[in-house]
Amino acid sequence: MEMTQEFMIFINMVIAISDYAVLIYAMYQFLNKTGRNLYLPKGYYILGFSLYMAALLLSAVIRSDLYGCLMLTVSPVALGYFLFNRTGQHIIYNLVYGCSIIAVQIFSIVAFQWYAAKTGNFVSSAIVYSCALMTFKQLMELLNLKLFVWIFGRRKEGSVRWQQILNSFILPVFSVVFLLSMSAYVALLPTEEGIITLIVNLVCILLLNIYVSYIFDNIVKKNELENELNLIRQKETMQYRYYEELEKKYLKTRKVVHDMRNHLIAIEQLYQEKDGGSVSYMQDMHRMLNELGQNYYTENRVLNIILNDKAQLAESLGITFEIRAAGTDLTFMKEMDITTVFANLMDNALEAASEAEEKWVVFRMDQIRDFVVINVRNAAVDPPVSRNGRLISAKDGKEGIGLQNVNRAVQAYDGTLTFHYEDGVFEVNVMIPV
């Protein structure tokens, strides 16, 4: 049955759109999954990939192999640098991935031509040959994406088992077998209905591969989150035990200070009339003992220990630490949650302030009607990076574990956490209903 010209144009259009869609999808997935430290407004990404689409269309119009190779090589580097990650390591990753796309396309065309010549399945239908070749190339590009994400990706060691990795490659391989078998069958008697059926099946194959990749990524992400949650729980337990030991030390120190102070008072009275210098000496010892004592900031013993510990740390770092926390009832909170919330808030503030020129931290906690309101302000050199309302750590481009722990503990009491940066000042506000 002879194909109409309109039908041929329609099929070629579907093939081209499918090819560009897979290229854009693969490009975005690779750049997004191999580690990023830039999180810009969505409009920038829409503009960037629209320009990438325009470059692909221009490549189809020009029909220049040199331009096509240059575009496929440069585009991942440019998109990655401006939208995802600007480190030198990732520039090299993106360049290698761009070169791999060219290599995969060349391999796909040569391999499919060899297969067609050996079997002679596509002699009677050029349109079936084009559909099968394009789908084969797209499947190879998806396999290439999986391979490079696995090699260059940010997956934690041990989070993905070898069995899971091999399973993720099974479907594309079976898809290639199905593609070649069905294409050869349709090529024996090419009709418009048969070709449309073939295209529908090929599109379904591609969508199924993308969907299974999405499911696999979710499984990997779930494994990572479980590992991360275990680490968070271990950190919280260790942190709480640390403050328990610190409290025991303070109690022991207070007993020693109390006994020593009584001895000093007796010695001071004995030698006051005989030696005036001994009075000055005793006063110096009193000051030393006062420094060993614990300041009283709040009635909550755990919070008091945390604030004393962080105040000493601030002093060692040359940070001015202002505290006001009296008159607030925290008896409704578990001691481990108090440790999680306040220790992490203090640690984040002190770490940021230590890098600023003017080092200062202000901590305020009040009870306003039925809410405990916590406000922490500190000097900060650079504005924080946030993604979907969550703070991103500048160290590794991932969500800050400290504030993540705080937010999780606060949400357990139906509370809220917000943060704000302006003119070199980073501010965190926590509200917890009593």
Side-chain angles (χ1 to χ4, degrees):
M1 179 178 178
E2 187 176 354
M3 308 294 171
T4 64
Q5 186 176 0
E6 292 79 6
F7 180 75
M8 297 289 288
I9 294 174
F10 169 76
I11 296 300
N12 289 326
M13 185 181 300
V14 171
I15 292 174
I17 293 174
S18 174
D19 187 34
Y20 296 155
V22 171
L23 272 176
I24 293 173
Y25 167 82
M27 185 70 71
Y28 175 80
Q29 290 296 320
F30 175 79
L31 295 174
N32 188 49
K33 291 181 179 180
T34 52
R36 59 188 296 186
N37 55 22
L38 297 177
Y39 298 91
L40 306 176
K42 293 182 180 179
Y44 288 92
Y45 296 92
I46 294 174
L47 175 61
F49 281 90
S50 296
L51 293 175
Y52 180 47
M53 170 65 85
L56 291 174
L57 293 173
L58 184 61
S59 175
V61 173
I62 295 178
R63 295 184 179 278
S64 169
D65 293 338
L66 178 61
Y67 171 80
C69 292
L70 184 64
M71 186 271 299
L72 290 176
T73 305
V74 173
S75 55
V77 176
L79 288 171
Y81 181 82
F82 289 107
L83 299 177
F84 292 90
N85 198 312
R86 294 182 180 177
T87 62
Q89 181 184 27
H90 282 83
I91 292 175
I92 296 175
Y93 285 173
N94 300 338
L95 180 62
V96 172
Y97 179 69
C99 294
S100 74
I101 295 177
I102 299 172
V104 165
Q105 291 191 351
I106 294 174
F107 166 79
S108 301
I109 294 172
V110 172
F112 198 82
Q113 286 178 344
W114 175 85
Y115 168 79
K118 282 288 185 179
T119 60
N121 289 334
F122 303 98
V123 175
S124 59
S125 179
I127 193 67
V128 174
Y129 175 85
S130 299
C131 292
L133 171 59
M134 189 61 63
T135 308
F136 178 75
K137 186 176 72 170
Q138 291 164 356
L139 289 171
M140 292 298 103
E141 288 169 357
L142 292 176
L143 276 171
N144 182 62
L145 168 66
K146 289 175 178 288
L147 179 64
F148 273 80
V149 167
W150 175 56
I151 294 174
F152 294 149
R154 57 187 177 189
R155 303 306 183 193
K156 297 177 183 177
E157 185 176 357
S159 63
V160 184
R161 299 177 181 177
W162 278 98
Q163 185 179 2
Q164 292 176 323
I165 296 171
L166 292 176
N167 288 341
S168 69
F169 284 87
I170 290 177
L171 180 60
V173 173
F174 283 176
S175 298
V176 170
V177 176
F178 176 78
L179 157 73
L180 296 177
S181 301
M182 187 171 184
S183 299
Y185 176 77
V186 175
L188 293 176
L189 186 62
T191 63
E192 290 188 3
E193 292 80 6
I195 293 174
I196 291 176
T197 302
L198 173 65
I199 291 176
V200 170
N201 279 271
L202 297 183
V203 170
C204 288
I205 288 175
L206 291 173
L207 293 178
L208 181 61
N209 277 269
I210 293 173
Y211 177 73
V212 171
S213 297
Y214 172 77
I215 296 297
F216 176 75
D217 288 341
N218 280 347
I219 293 174
V220 173
K221 186 176 181 180
K222 180 182 177 182
N223 291 341
E224 290 182 349
L225 289 176
E226 287 179 351
N227 293 335
E228 189 173 289
L229 183 60
N230 290 332
L231 291 174
I232 289 172
R233 288 171 176 167
Q234 291 176 10
K235 180 181 177 181
E236 287 180 350
T237 302
M238 292 174 63
Q239 197 174 42
Y240 179 68
R241 288 176 180 172
Y242 165 75
Y243 285 109
E244 276 189 328
E245 294 298 321
L246 197 61
E247 182 184 20
K248 293 177 182 178
K249 186 189 77 171
Y250 275 127
L251 289 174
K252 186 176 180 180
T253 302
R254 287 178 64 184
K255 292 178 181 179
V256 173
V257 169
H258 183 267
D259 292 340
M260 285 297 297
R261 196 181 301 279
N262 290 334
H263 291 307
L264 286 173
I265 290 173
I267 295 172
E268 184 179 352
Q269 290 175 348
L270 289 173
Y271 286 93
Q272 187 172 5
E273 296 180 355
K274 296 180 180 180
D275 185 3
S278 63
V279 176
S280 176
Y281 176 74
M282 296 304 165
Q283 290 174 347
D284 290 340
M285 292 192 68
H286 277 300
R287 283 193 294 270
M288 180 185 69
L289 289 172
N290 286 334
E291 290 178 358
L292 291 174
Q294 183 181 14
N295 293 324
Y296 185 85
Y297 295 110
T298 175
E299 295 179 357
N300 186 279
R301 62 184 186 87
V302 175
L303 178 56
N304 212 48
I305 293 168
I306 294 171
L307 292 176
N308 273 276
D309 181 54
K310 302 310 176 185
Q312 291 180 8
L313 176 60
E315 184 178 0
S316 68
L317 296 173
I319 299 173
T320 303
F321 194 11
E322 183 180 342
I323 300 173
R324 189 184 71 193
T328 305
D329 182 16
L330 295 177
T331 56
F332 67 94
M333 292 183 68
K334 296 179 181 178
E335 291 185 343
M336 183 172 287
D337 290 333
I338 292 174
T339 302
T340 298
V341 172
F342 292 96
N344 281 296
L345 286 177
M346 297 299 101
D347 287 339
N348 287 347
L350 292 172
E351 181 180 359
S354 65
E355 300 174 356
E357 186 175 351
E358 296 184 5
K359 300 175 172 59
W360 58 268
V361 174
V362 176
F363 172 79
R364 293 282 187 270
M365 185 176 68
D366 297 295
Q367 186 165 340
I368 303 176
R369 294 186 179 180
D370 296 331
F371 289 91
V372 171
V373 180
I374 305 165
N375 176 265
V376 182
R377 300 170 66 245
N378 59 268
V381 178
D382 299 315
V385 179
S386 62
R387 176 178 61 184
N388 298 327
R390 296 181 177 182
L391 194 66
I392 304 303
S393 172
K395 297 177 182 178
D396 54 11
K398 297 182 180 180
E399 185 175 342
I401 296 298
L403 283 186
Q404 182 181 349
N405 290 354
V406 174
N407 193 41
R408 185 176 57 82
V410 167
Q411 287 180 348
Y413 298 92
D414 296 324
T416 59
L417 180 148
T418 58
F419 56 86
H420 175 70
Y421 177 88
E422 185 176 358
D423 298 332
V425 178
F426 182 68
E427 182 175 0
V428 178
N429 289 289
V430 175
M431 292 186 65
I432 306 175
V434 178

